[in-house]
Amino acid sequence: MTLTRRGLLGLAGAAGAAGTWGAGAGAPEARALSAVRSPGSATGPATAGPATATAGPAERVRTGFERLAADGYAALAGQRVGVVTNPTGITADARHLVDVLHADERVDLVAVFGPEHGFRGTAQAGGSEGTGRDPATGLPVYDTYGKSGQGLADVFTAAGVDTVVFDIQDVGARFYTYIWTLYDCMRAAALAGKAVVVLDRPNPVGGVRAAGPVLRRPYASFVGREPISLAHGMTAGELAGLFAGEFLRESGPAVRPVRLRVVRMTGWRRESFFDGTGLPWVPPSPNMPTPATALAYAGTCLLEGTNLSEGRGTATPFELVGAEGVDRRWAEAADALGLPGVWFREAYFTPSFSKHSGRLCGGVRLIVHDREAFDPVRAGIGLLVTARRTWSGFAWRADHWIDRLTGSDRVRVMVDAGAGVEEIAADWAAELAGFAALREGYLLYP
């Protein structure tokens, strides 16, 4: 399927939120059209009609699901539908979209697909809920976690779906696995001859800029399949367009182009944080309780690659980090870096599970006082640099998981060599600039 101007601009009226991104031959057209801007828009392809609506002071964001429903589910007409979702797939009044779709005779909903943590969100990191039936609707629920390629395509075929709908709240970091569930679902749908509809949601930490190192392919894994930056600054719908246009078309001649439709939001702007959207927050995973957690996550999750606790098992994971034996010197050294938008304060905590469970830990609490200035990736690098300098017990995980999280061995090697934050950031600057330029052609919002 090629990317036509009509596909890019979407449908008129309520359906103006739905745009079609093509793969293969359409990708260069997408880049060419990126030069066409809507009035007043700094970035992103041109859009028509309601798709360019922006939020006033009292206007909330309307998600892709709301736009789909407003159009009477026209994009799903005549299709046997399967939904990839979790507890975040809710309406503006906090009903789950699976319950809503199941009760609406205009939609033939036949299956649900659960990602990491499961459809109902009961599993911890690295886990899922398995396959079974949803007790609320009686629908079959298929576990997608750990499945990709032909194996996942076979699941879609066995489920008897024609169209796979994706609706999950992302948090804006490359190693948050839901975007790679989307990627895997798109590839599997292409293999199985299914269509994909992405119902877009906000990036809760904004989308003004990309930040951090870009993944190098030898380090690809389920926490980063393709070369995007650590903090990508994109929505799931924008990433879907990027995946189709840049990466999935390289999968080989045996793979059909992705038949993709993105149902866009209205009212969301790139500088928006989640608390400005007017939408209810549902934790996308057990250790992502608030939008403030998401703001810190792209940086402090890097501690997952060390023997330091990233705060799992506390009330404020990823905002509170440390280990048994750490003292005030770490917080003092981190705060002395003078990184913009954040203070690092000495803190003590006892995790109830995960690393250092049941033991008193010393460490650091991040206090973000200026969200616009705050760079979570630099903050995370600053914590790594200063932890190694101030705590004799600091160690990387033996499997060098930090390399998967950062996308190469460069951060680990440079921290071990005594490099500072700005020197490490300069090392990824050229690759980040390249990704930022590529990203421009797939942005859908001003």
Side-chain angles (χ1 to χ4, degrees), residues 263-317:
V263 185
R264 294 188 280 249
M265 300 175 282
T266 58
W268 189 75
R269 299 184 67 88
R270 310 211 73 80
E271 66 270 19
S272 300
F273 290 91
F274 196 85
D275 59 3
T277 65
L279 297 172
W281 175 263
V282 173
S285 55
N287 291 289
M288 194 64 61
T290 71
T293 317
L295 190 62
Y297 175 77
T300 51
C301 188
L302 294 176
L303 300 185
E304 198 174 88
T306 74
N307 60 342
L308 289 151
S309 167
E310 57 277 9
R312 299 179 193 270
T314 75
T316 51

Side-chain angles (χ1 to χ4, degrees), residues 19 46 62 68 84 116 145 162 168 186 197 221 228 256 262 266 271 328 332 351 356 376 386 389:
R62 281 167 170 75
L68 179 76
V84 184
E116 183 180 8
Y145 185 53
D162 303 310
I168 296 179
M186 289 172 63
V197 174
S221 71
I228 68 173
R256 301 180 183 93
V262 173
T266 58
E271 66 270 19
R328 69 181 187 282
E332 291 172 351
H356 308 287
T386 53
R389 291 174 181 173

Side-chain angles (χ1 to χ4, degrees), residues 14 33 39 61 126 137 168 172 189 221 249 254 300 303 305 328-329 333-334 351 355 369 383 385 397 402 414 416:
L33 284 171
V61 170
T137 62
I168 296 179
S221 71
R249 65 190 179 92
T300 51
L303 300 185
R328 69 181 187 282
R329 289 176 294 170
K355 295 178 187 173
H369 60 85
L383 288 169
V385 166
R397 266 177 48 172
I402 188 65
M414 294 185 76
D416 284 346

